[in-house]
């Protein structure tokens, strides 16, 4: 099938190579490019009652200069089971790669190719012949190991088969059969995070192995990524553990752990906290978040600890004091503004989050307000029959909340915002709440800007919950 101002059936479907070559040698160039007519008349060549595979291979630059829109006709052909390969041949005006992707079968990576020279075109002919005539592959196993500078943080569901993460840098993909009954492709997407000290242009994949029952060979692309690191953070190594036994019925165990060397200067922060009015027979989950504040008021996370507080058996609610929660505050992380000296005065900030573990009939209420009338809120609490100890008043005006930059990174990384402000803790509190009550004065017939900004920073919740 050749096409210019219109399409011409140069030869019927044939298995004779000489007939096909004779038709190709008789072609002459000229005229416009009518893709719609080419697809229409090529589709007429196929016998609808035939069970044979139906494949179109289109050689073009993708630029339509005559006729109508070819996309609906190509879509109709694909709906009838026709497989469409698009080969991009560069003309005077370049290649419309978007049109080729639209017309071809999916995925584009398997059915669209751009050939810059004759040698690549010859190789492409060989690959096409193998893809069209071979009966596909079965029992496929693909093992992909990424470079040590990256770690795999999520693996999406593949379009075919099943994939699982083997370790931090490897993923395995298994497909029972591919292309056995028809020409088809498959894709697998996974997300990696840069974790190593390497910079510059880095190949993401370290090695990919492929095997199938038929012994096919496959070449995979090798994507590269440009990494620029302003600061390389080499965390200190985790100490080697020391194991010791504790035999049964021993109330006290003494063990000599040997000598411990001090690698870096640092301080030990010991925190005590009292949990008010803890009800009997209720365990409490306690989270302690420690951060350090620099000279510009920016917080830097220094540690998080989670504890399970055992239930007490008193007849009534009582205060429970938790003592001796320790954090290490290394000197090399000092952000006080005097890096050339030690033992500086350092400003720390700690947050406590506590919730009952055992289910109970209580409501936790978090209030976001600007200049809220506490008397009104107190009346609301009384109307809801809520004790004062289950109410938290949080003034938005007192919080450090940056404006949402609209980057949508939080929708792809599990709900982590790049802003280092108070919104992280507020989001955790929202997730832990049973009821949110907003109290604010009308400002321009609506809520004040600071409260609206807080609501605008809640998109991470959808990723965290999912």
């Amino acid at each position: 099938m050749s096409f210019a101002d219109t399409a011409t059936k140069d030869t019927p479907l044939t298995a004779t190579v000489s007939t096909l070559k004779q038709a190709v040698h008789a072609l002459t160039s000229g005229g416009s490019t009518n893709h719609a007519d080419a697809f229409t008349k090529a589709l007429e060549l196929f016998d609808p009652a035939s069970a044979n595979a139906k494949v179109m291979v289109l050689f073009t630059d993708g630029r339509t200069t005559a006729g109508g829109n070819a996309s609906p006709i190509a879509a109709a052909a694909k709906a009838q089971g026709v497989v469409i390969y698009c080969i991009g041949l560069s003309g005077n005006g370049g290649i419309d790669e978007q049109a080729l992707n639209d017309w071809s079968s999916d995925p584009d990576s398997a059915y669209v190719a751009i050939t810059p020279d004759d040698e690549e075109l010859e190789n492409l002919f060989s690959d096409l012949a193998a893809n069209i005539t071979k009966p596909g592959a079965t029992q496929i196993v693909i093992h992909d190991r990424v470079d040590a500078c990256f770690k795999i943080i999520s693996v999406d569901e593949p379009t075919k088969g099943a994939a699982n993460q083997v370790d931090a840098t490897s993923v395995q993909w298994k497909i029972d059969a591919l292309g056995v009954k028809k020409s088809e492709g498959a894709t697998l997407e996974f997300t990696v995070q840069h974790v190593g000290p390497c910079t510059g242009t880095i190949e993401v994949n370290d090695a990919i192995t492929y095997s199938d029952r038929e012994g096919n060979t496959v070449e995979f692309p090798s994507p590269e990524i440009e990494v620029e690191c302003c600061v390389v953070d080499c965390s200190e190594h985790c100490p080697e553990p020391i194991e010791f036994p504790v035999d049964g019925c021993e109330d006290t165990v003494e063990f000599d752990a040997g000598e411990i060397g001090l690698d870096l200067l640092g301080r030990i922060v010991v925190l005590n906290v009292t949990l008010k009015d803890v009800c009997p027979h209720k365990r409490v989950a306690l989270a302690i978040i420690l951060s350090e504040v620099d000279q510009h008021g920016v917080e830097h996370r220094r540690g998080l600890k989670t504890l399970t507080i055992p239930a007490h058996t008193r007849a009534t609610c009582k205060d429970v004091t938790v003592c001796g929660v320790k954090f290490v505050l290394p000197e090399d992380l000092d952000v006080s503004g005097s890096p050339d000296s030690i033992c500086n005065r350092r400003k720390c900030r700690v947050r406590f989050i506590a919730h009952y573990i055992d289910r109970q009939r209580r409501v936790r209420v978090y209030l976001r307000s600007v200049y809220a009338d506490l008397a009104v809120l107190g009346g609301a609490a009384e109307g809801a029959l809520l004790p004062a100890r289950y109410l938290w008043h949080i003034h938005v005006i007192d919080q450090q909340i940056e404006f949402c930059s609209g980057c949508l990174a939080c929708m792809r990384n599990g709900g982590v915002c790049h802003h280092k402000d108070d919104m992280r803790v507020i989001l955790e509190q929202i997730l832990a709440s049973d009821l949110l009550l907003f109290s604010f004065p009308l400002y321009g017939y609506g809520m004040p800007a600071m409260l609206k900004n807080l609501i605008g920073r809640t998109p991470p919740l959808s990723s965290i919950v999912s």
Side-chain angles (χ1 to χ4, degrees), residues 280-322:
H281 310 292
K282 302 291 185 183
R283 294 171 299 161
V284 176
L286 175 64
I288 305 174
I289 305 170
L290 180 67
S291 60
E292 185 175 0
V293 183
D294 63 21
Q295 56 185 340
H296 304 293
V298 178
E299 284 192 58
H300 302 266
R301 189 65 60 87
R302 290 294 177 255
L304 166 67
K305 287 194 175 183
T306 56
L307 307 172
T308 299
I309 311 304
H312 69 84
T313 57
R314 290 278 296 272
T316 59
C317 297
K318 60 168 289 187
D319 296 348
V320 175
T321 300
V322 181

Side-chain angles (χ1 to χ4, degrees), residues 115 171 416:
T115 58
V171 61
V416 179

Side-chain angles (χ1 to χ4, degrees), residues 16 70 74 76 93-94 103 145 165 215 228 233 262 293 311 330 396 417:
T16 305
W103 299 334
R145 184 176 70 249
Q165 185 173 340
E228 296 183 3
D233 181 11
L262 298 180
V293 183
V396 178
C417 181

Side-chain angles (χ1 to χ4, degrees), residues 332-411:
D332 62 332
L333 298 181
D334 185 358
V335 293
S336 62
S338 302
D340 298 329
S341 61
I342 62 175
C343 299
N344 299 313
R345 179 180 176 84
R346 300 169 67 173
K347 183 179 179 181
C348 296
R349 184 176 294 172
V350 64
R351 294 177 174 88
F352 298 92
I353 303 175
H355 299 289
Y356 286 113
I357 296 176
D358 304 297
R359 296 185 63 85
Q360 57 183 347
R361 296 178 61 84
R362 283 192 176 85
V363 179
R364 307 176 192 90
V365 182
Y366 289 86
L367 306 178
R368 280 82 172 131
S369 60
V370 179
Y371 299 119
D373 185 346
L374 298 182
V376 173
L377 294 178
E382 182 178 358
L385 299 179
L386 293 172
R389 61 178 178 272
Y390 297 121
L391 293 175
W392 290 264
H393 300 84
I394 299 179
H395 295 267
V396 178
I397 195 173
D398 296 332
Q399 309 300 312
Q400 179 188 352
I401 303 176
E402 301 293 337
F403 289 99
C404 177
S405 58
C407 65
L408 300 182
C410 62
M411 308 299 289

